[in-house]
Amino acid sequence: MEITTLCVVVATLTVLPNRSQFFLYESVSLSCGQQGNSSDWTVKRNISPEITEDCPRPTDRRNESHCFIDHVYIFDTGVYWCESAAGKCSNTVNITVTGSVILESPVLPEMEGDDVTLRCRNRTTSSSSLTMDFYKDQLFIGSSSTGNITIHSVSKSDEGLYRCHISGAGGSPGSWLTVRGHPEPPQSPITLVLLPVGGFALFLVSVSVMLPCLCRSHKGEINHTVVLYSDVTWIRTCNQKGEPLRRNSFLFSSVAVYRPDRCIYTPNPELMNKACS
């Protein structure tokens, strides 16, 4: 069962024991972990499409941010979460109550690189004498005589719906495993300033070096036309005889570029390359 919430997730719902599947008549405790006044939070649950209610609170306390169910029943199966009067909420947790076989798996998302252990339990039969099969997304992934299977160094590809089966006892409900990546470290304010400044400085140096080589005049007059960056598509270079070269020379900049109307030949070796139209 899943619900869609329209709130800002700022809190964490903690479940003890740390699993989402329970046998009939077991006890479960749920609490809201958040910053600020915990009395502003309430543990909610949705146990059917028509029923959304406050989770039962301990009889000896009036703390609404804590929920305690002394004996769970099938009708306690549902979605649980924390909610505040200000419209904020927590993650949601699917609680499943069953009478035969359960799969113990982490309630909260696991971090990439961690080892995750899944445990298959049968309430009535000793697990030491049975073989347990484990499945992910309906595909067999392994067997265990101890009832445990460990996923080493989990990654996003390990996310999915897991369940287990015990021969002669039945299978567990499905339990979703979520894996999250490590948060990226925040960039230093100095880095945020230096990167664009350094890029702009490199651009200015490139322009100052290229422009004198692309367009010069010597002992002659050339009529220049100002060409804006958006008008510059390519600039050809010419050899000593004023003949265009085969390879085009491109200039990409945000400054104005002067395009000469004609090439002037000069034997001066310093003017080996001149721009032409």
Side-chain angles (χ1 to χ4, degrees):
M1 181 187 301
E2 296 183 355
I3 61 171
T4 301
T5 58
L6 299 176
C7 59
V8 180
V9 178
V10 296
T12 300
L13 177 62
T14 303
V15 181
L16 294 175
N18 182 24
R19 49 189 166 95
S20 59
Q21 297 183 14
F22 295 87
F23 291 120
L24 281 168
Y25 315 126
E26 284 191 311
S27 299
V28 58
S29 173
L30 303 97
S31 59
C32 301
Q34 72 291 316
Q35 297 178 349
N37 190 355
S38 61
S39 62
D40 295 336
W41 293 82
T42 303
V43 181
K44 297 278 191 177
R45 69 178 185 176
N46 183 279
I47 54 178
S48 76
E50 297 83 20
I51 301 178
T52 297
E53 61 184 12
D54 292 352
C55 184
R57 299 189 299 273
T59 56
D60 59 339
R61 288 184 291 178
R62 295 179 58 85
N63 188 355
E64 294 183 352
S65 67
H66 185 80
C67 167
F68 180 77
I69 306 176
D70 192 22
H71 298 91
V72 293
Y73 295 89
I74 297 296
F75 57 74
D76 289 312
T77 296
V79 182
Y80 292 72
W81 72 97
C82 299
E83 189 174 302
S84 72
K88 300 177 181 179
C89 63
S90 73
N91 57 301
T92 59
V93 173
N94 288 276
I95 298 295
T96 304
V97 181
T98 184
S100 54
V101 179
I102 65 172
L103 176 67
E104 294 185 355
S105 63
V107 172
L108 298 177
E110 290 294 317
M111 193 70 70
E112 278 188 317
D114 291 346
D115 294 340
V116 177
T117 298
L118 307 178
R119 183 185 180 194
C120 192
R121 289 180 55 198
N122 179 18
R123 185 168 191 172
T124 59
T125 307
S126 174
S127 60
S128 60
S129 60
L130 301 173
T131 299
M132 289 102 173
D133 297 328
F134 292 84
Y135 300 84
K136 174 182 179 287
D137 299 330
Q138 306 301 322
L139 298 177
F140 175 76
I141 59 173
S143 297
S144 171
S145 59
T146 63
N148 300 335
I149 187 171
T150 300
I151 306 172
H152 297 282
S153 188
V154 294
S155 63
K156 278 290 187 179
S157 62
D158 293 311
E159 281 192 336
L161 188 68
Y162 290 79
R163 66 180 184 88
C164 66
H165 183 272
I166 301 177
S167 177
S172 73
S175 182
W176 186 267
L177 176 65
T178 301
V179 179
R180 65 181 179 183
H182 292 276
E184 295 183 0
Q187 286 188 325
S188 169
I190 297 179
T191 303
L192 296 177
V193 173
L194 291 181
L195 283 178
V197 171
F200 183 69
L202 181 61
F203 164 76
L204 291 179
V205 171
S206 300
V207 171
S208 63
V209 172
M210 294 174 63
L211 281 181
C213 297
L214 292 174
C215 189
R216 293 180 180 178
S217 62
H218 179 75
K219 293 183 179 181
E221 295 183 355
I222 302 176
N223 295 327
H224 295 84
T225 302
V226 176
V227 182
L228 297 179
Y229 170 75
S230 58
D231 296 327
V232 173
T233 56
W234 55 270
I235 299 176
R236 292 182 298 175
T237 60
C238 55
N239 58 20
Q240 261 189 315
K241 297 181 179 181
E243 298 172 346
L245 297 176
R246 293 183 178 181
R247 178 176 297 179
N248 296 333
S249 176
F250 290 84
L251 176 64
F252 300 94
S253 67
S254 58
V255 299
V257 179
Y258 290 91
R259 183 180 63 190
D261 294 332
R262 56 191 175 86
C263 293
I264 304 298
Y265 169 75
T266 174
N268 192 328
E270 295 181 357
L271 300 178
M272 298 298 294
N273 295 309
K274 299 167 29 178
C276 62
S277 57

